[in-house]
Amino acid sequence: MAENTSTIFIPLNEEPEFIVAGEVRLFTGWVHNESRIADQVEFEGTVDGETEVWDREFVPIQIDYANRDVEAYQYQNATVKAKNEEIWRERLKPVVAVAAAMMVGLLVVASWLSERR
């Protein structure tokens, strides 16, 4: 085959600061069998930033189309999951601070009103 490249864009719903990770598979035939042409790459990046891509050995995945009780294959990346959870925690810090300040304010007002009675 001639050397050809193609670029495919996949729209993402993630917010710009979150890290997106996944894998892309190229195969002929079926995804759960050995293919004559098979390639697999893994990637990690951000929506508005750089993306790292590295080759992986193609590993067929088992899919049982007839049995709906079998859990479908899902890509997992524990490192990226932990990084995104930290981003969420940092994002929530100001919300927690405002909520705490409001609670203190309400307690002060309630205390002041109870003393006036």
Side-chain angles (χ1 to χ4, degrees):
M1 276 191 188
E3 294 284 326
N4 291 320
T5 61
S6 296
T7 302
I8 299 171
F9 293 96
I10 301 169
L12 301 173
N13 295 325
E14 283 75 14
E15 295 182 40
E17 69 269 22
F18 285 100
I19 300 168
V20 179
E23 64 188 8
V24 177
R25 295 164 173 267
L26 171 68
F27 55 90
T28 57
W30 299 97
V31 70
H32 59 279
N33 293 330
E34 292 293 330
S35 297
R36 187 173 55 85
I37 299 172
D39 192 18
Q40 181 174 337
V41 295
E42 196 169 350
F43 65 89
E44 178 181 322
T46 58
V47 175
D48 290 341
E50 296 292 318
T51 301
E52 288 185 59
V53 178
W54 54 95
D55 286 323
R56 293 284 190 218
E57 181 180 338
F58 183 81
V59 178
I61 57 176
Q62 291 297 340
I63 298 177
D64 188 351
Y65 295 104
N67 186 353
R68 299 289 181 208
D69 294 334
V70 174
E71 188 172 321
Y73 170 79
Q74 291 184 353
Y75 172 82
Q76 305 249 347
N77 187 318
T79 304
V80 169
K81 183 178 179 185
K83 289 177 185 177
N84 283 336
E85 287 172 354
E86 180 60 30
I87 291 169
W88 266 113
R89 281 191 292 277
E90 289 298 318
R91 186 187 260 192
L92 289 176
K93 281 182 182 179
V95 174
V96 171
V98 168
M102 288 176 67
M103 289 297 287
V104 168
L106 285 172
L107 288 172
V108 168
V109 169
S111 175
W112 180 73
L113 287 174
S114 69
E115 286 181 13
R116 289 193 74 206
R117 288 185 169 179

